[in-house]
Amino acid sequence: MNRIILAFLIQSLLWILPLSGSGKEIGAPIVRVTVYPDRAQITHEGSADIAAGQNILRLSGLSPYIDAQSIRVSGYGNFTILSVNHQNNYLQNLEELPEIRSIRSQIETLQIKVEDEKSEISVLKEKEAFLIANRAILASKQGAVTPDQLKAMMDLYTGSMDQVATTILKKNRLIKDFENQITALQNQINDRKGKKQLPSGEITVSVSSTKPGTGKFTISYVVSNAGWHPSYDIRVEDISKPVSIFYKANVFQNTGVDWKDVKLSFSNANPWIAGTMPLLPPWFIDFYVPPQARYLSGRAASVNTARKSEAPAMVEMAADAETFKAVEASPVAVEKQVGETTVSFDIAVPYSIASDGKIQTIEIQRTASPAEYKYVSIPKLSPHAYLTGNITNWAEQNLQSGEVTLYFENTFVGKSFLNVNQLSDTLTLSLGTDNSILVKREKRKDFTSKRVIGANKTDIFSFLITVRNNKATGIKITLNDQIPVSTNSSITVEAQELSGGRLNTQTGEVKWDLEVKPRETRELILSYSVKYPKDRTIILE
């Protein structure tokens, strides 16, 4: 029995002693990196001399952000891999330092304060909107109140607005001060967690061989603090030519280890994760119910105000025409690999990406796609005409949603967003505004009236919509407007004149599809009436 126990102890020591040593270093640099949207897979290749018996081999100087469960080791040679282990080599984990924890706690406290102040500002803005709405009603009923009542209400309005504006100003100043404190505290954490202070990741491989030799190894693992996201340059020389799409990968990494002369591959897989046009919502109307007087000095509940949409200004950066006439530089060679559920782009030229968190942009695809161009305008919200391009073969290009920089007729026209989450065969691109298309919407005062007949009041509204094409070619344009939709049986809305527009009775949307010739001006009329009991109030403007 004692001999059995002794033999077991000797065998255990033979296993433990090699593991406690430093091990032999594997010379395996980084040769390939596959970058995912929120992490990256690192691949090392190298070799090591293996003695007869059991050997401990070590790959050190790695990132401390390795996902241990993702480590894979492949060996080629006359030996057997017994085990693979991972550890971070450090004296103290910086994340556990009491000083770091204290600073993080201060940051969290300040972030909560910022959220509280923003929430209170939101309530104050609702109160402000409520007061403005009441002022409009008061202005419309000046003849129904005495001068003393009017003065008292105006004093109450002025005092409340002054209090709201002052409070919002003070809270915005507080938020700015809190955010400055958060930035200063975050800088303190960054100073204490510099690159030189990061622990070093290590992978140890235990192998067994019957005779001396050389073994080749391929070691791969996944790290966080790295990723990429797509962006695009979309260029349209004129509406008679295809859309040019420049697909770019914006890669960053802050893993603690520089990637030097590695083969890069960008994948859209997520293996760990199970100048846009304004929208015209339906316009529902109902009787206006005046709020209780106590709300004038209290908190406004569920008050929403429709703010006038500001048309996005088109920023122009004139490009040198001669520059665009020259032949553009070719992008780096890229091989696209299309799988069943993922797409990857393999870059042929080795790249070096420093571990500094800075974004490096690499062009990975360039295509020219035929498109059907059409202008879209919503004159009620914006006087601009938005150029859209409809691409039918967009699924074949393996695009992803991302920010777009738009160029039209060799001029920078702004930013937009490419949304590929569309359940249709046609991808609609918003290509910015075109100043050559003028759209105007104005009220026809002579045809707008309010009259009372019997027990009912009828409000008639009429608008003139004008479209001017200053281009040398004809265009197709879709105009969208609306009439209100009644949600009360006592309110009747009727479309009186639509100039051939199509009315959606469910949403109130009116749409015109026009073909406008060069230098032509088209005029459309939108008229509707709203009939309701004369003792009730509806806010239509």
Side-chain angles (χ1 to χ4, degrees):
M1 183 67 178
N2 291 334
R3 291 180 179 179
I4 296 175
I5 295 175
L6 180 61
F8 176 77
L9 291 174
I10 293 174
Q11 183 67 24
S12 299
L13 287 173
L14 291 175
W15 281 86
I16 294 172
L17 286 175
L19 294 174
S20 63
S22 60
K24 184 179 296 184
E25 188 70 25
I26 303 176
I30 300 175
V31 295
R32 186 167 56 256
V33 177
T34 300
V35 188
Y36 298 102
D38 62 346
R39 60 200 70 197
Q41 181 174 329
I42 314 295
T43 302
H44 298 253
E45 290 183 357
S47 60
D49 294 332
I50 299 176
Q54 187 173 351
N55 296 258
I56 298 297
L57 306 177
R58 186 184 73 234
L59 181 62
S60 60
L62 308 179
S63 169
Y65 305 113
I66 294 176
D67 180 358
Q69 295 182 349
S70 68
I71 298 174
R72 294 184 60 186
V73 178
S74 301
Y76 307 91
N78 189 21
F79 60 90
T80 301
I81 297 176
L82 301 176
S83 64
V84 177
N85 295 285
H86 166 260
Q87 67 177 5
N88 279 337
N89 185 7
Y90 49 82
L91 297 178
Q92 189 174 22
N93 186 350
L94 292 176
E95 288 290 333
E96 301 302 326
L97 285 176
E99 185 179 5
I100 297 293
R101 291 201 301 268
S102 175
I103 295 175
R104 289 195 184 281
S105 177
Q106 295 178 53
I107 291 176
E108 291 175 358
T109 301
L110 289 170
Q111 289 173 338
I112 292 174
K113 290 182 179 180
V114 169
E115 293 175 356
D116 291 341
E117 295 297 333
K118 288 183 177 180
S119 177
E120 292 182 16
I121 287 176
S122 178
V123 174
L124 288 168
K125 287 185 176 180
E126 288 189 355
K127 181 178 180 180
E128 180 183 30
F130 178 76
L131 291 171
I132 293 174
N134 276 272
R135 182 187 66 179
I137 298 171
L138 181 62
S140 65
K141 293 187 176 183
Q142 290 186 4
V145 296
T146 66
D148 291 337
Q149 290 175 332
L150 179 62
K151 183 178 183 302
M153 292 181 181
M154 290 305 297
D155 290 341
L156 178 61
Y157 169 80
T158 303
S160 299
M161 285 295 292
D162 181 69
Q163 180 183 5
V164 169
T166 303
T167 306
I168 290 177
L169 180 62
K170 291 180 179 179
K171 290 187 176 297
N172 280 326
R173 290 172 177 171
L174 274 176
I175 290 174
K176 185 176 181 180
D177 182 60
F178 291 151
E179 290 176 342
N180 289 337
Q181 294 181 45
I182 291 172
T183 301
L185 291 171
Q186 190 61 53
N187 289 336
Q188 292 182 31
I189 293 179
N190 295 337
D191 290 340
R192 288 159 175 76
K193 292 176 59 182
K195 180 178 176 182
K196 295 182 180 179
Q197 295 179 332
L198 291 175
S200 173
E202 291 184 355
I203 295 176
T204 56
V205 183
S206 175
V207 301
S208 177
S209 178
T210 57
K211 59 182 180 179
T214 300
K216 294 183 178 180
F217 295 89
T218 298
I219 302 174
S220 65
Y221 51 85
V222 172
V223 295
S224 57
N225 283 15
W228 77 285
H229 64 272
S231 65
Y232 303 89
D233 285 352
I234 294 184
R235 300 180 182 180
V236 178
E237 293 188 19
D238 58 62
I239 59 177
S240 64
K241 295 183 179 180
V243 173
S244 296
I245 302 177
F246 297 76
Y247 191 173
K248 299 179 179 181
N250 301 278
V251 58
F252 69 93
Q253 70 107 344
N254 197 17
T255 64
V257 177
D258 294 339
W259 302 342
K260 297 180 180 179
D261 296 327
V262 300
K263 292 183 178 180
L264 283 178
S265 179
F266 298 98
S267 174
N268 66 350
N270 287 296
W272 298 270
I273 301 177
T276 306
M277 294 183 302
L279 299 177
L280 188 65
W283 182 15
F284 298 105
I285 62 173
D286 199 349
F287 294 115
Y288 173 74
V289 179
Q292 298 296 326
R294 64 175 182 273
Y295 288 122
L296 290 172
S297 58
R299 177 174 175 178
S302 301
V303 179
N304 296 320
T305 59
R307 300 188 178 184
K308 186 177 180 181
S309 175
E310 296 183 0
M314 182 177 77
V315 182
E316 292 192 0
M317 296 173 59
D320 186 355
E322 296 299 326
T323 301
F324 286 95
K325 290 180 181 178
V327 177
E328 291 190 79
S330 300
V332 296
V334 178
E335 182 179 358
K336 183 166 69 173
Q337 305 286 346
V338 181
E340 292 294 332
T341 59
T342 62
V343 178
S344 63
F345 298 88
D346 300 331
I347 312 300
V349 179
Y351 268 84
S352 294
I353 309 293
S355 177
D356 54 10
K358 296 181 180 179
I359 292 179
Q360 188 165 334
T361 302
I362 302 172
E363 184 179 333
I364 57 177
Q365 181 175 279
R366 184 182 299 184
T367 59
S369 301
E372 179 186 5
Y373 297 100
K374 183 175 68 172
Y375 289 91
V376 178
S377 180
I378 306 176
K380 181 180 180 180
L381 302 180
S382 169
H384 296 286
Y386 294 83
L387 177 63
T388 62
N390 296 320
I391 301 177
T392 56
N393 65 336
W394 68 275
E396 300 174 3
Q397 300 188 35
N398 305 115
L399 305 177
Q400 300 182 70
S401 297
E403 186 182 57
V404 175
T405 303
L406 300 172
Y407 298 88
F408 181 62
E409 295 180 342
N410 295 336
T411 301
F412 169 71
V413 296
K415 299 281 189 177
S416 185
F417 188 82
L418 177 63
N419 181 17
V420 300
N421 299 318
Q422 303 183 26
L423 301 178
S424 64
D425 296 333
T426 302
L427 176 66
T428 300
L429 302 177
S430 180
L431 302 174
T433 60
D434 188 344
N435 286 338
S436 300
I437 312 299
L438 304 179
V439 182
K440 186 177 181 180
R441 182 184 192 261
E442 53 188 343
K443 182 183 291 187
R444 304 170 70 210
K445 295 182 179 180
D446 294 340
F447 298 90
T448 299
S449 63
K450 296 183 179 181
R451 61 173 182 261
V452 177
I453 300 177
N456 294 318
K457 182 188 294 185
T458 302
D459 294 348
I460 300 176
F461 297 89
S462 183
F463 298 91
L464 175 65
I465 301 173
T466 306
V467 181
R468 169 72 180 177
N469 177 18
N470 287 327
K471 302 179 74 68
T473 58
I475 64 166
K476 295 180 179 179
I477 185 170
T478 296
L479 298 177
N480 296 320
D481 212 303
Q482 65 181 168
I483 66 174
V485 178
S486 174
T487 58
N488 191 302
S489 59
S490 298
I491 302 175
T492 303
V493 179
E494 292 183 356
Q496 295 189 337
E497 185 172 355
L498 300 179
S499 295
R502 302 191 308 276
L503 172 64
N504 185 327
T505 57
Q506 300 297 319
T507 64
E509 183 182 49
V510 182
K511 180 177 293 188
W512 295 268
D513 292 321
L514 306 177
E515 293 187 6
V516 186
K517 299 177 182 178
R519 312 287 190 261
E520 182 185 9
T521 300
R522 297 283 295 274
E523 292 184 346
L524 304 171
I525 294 177
L526 171 66
S527 299
Y528 60 90
S529 64
V530 181
K531 181 180 177 182
Y532 55 96
K534 66 179 181 180
D535 59 341
R536 306 300 295 270
T537 301
I538 297 177
I539 299 178
L540 294 171
E541 295 184 282

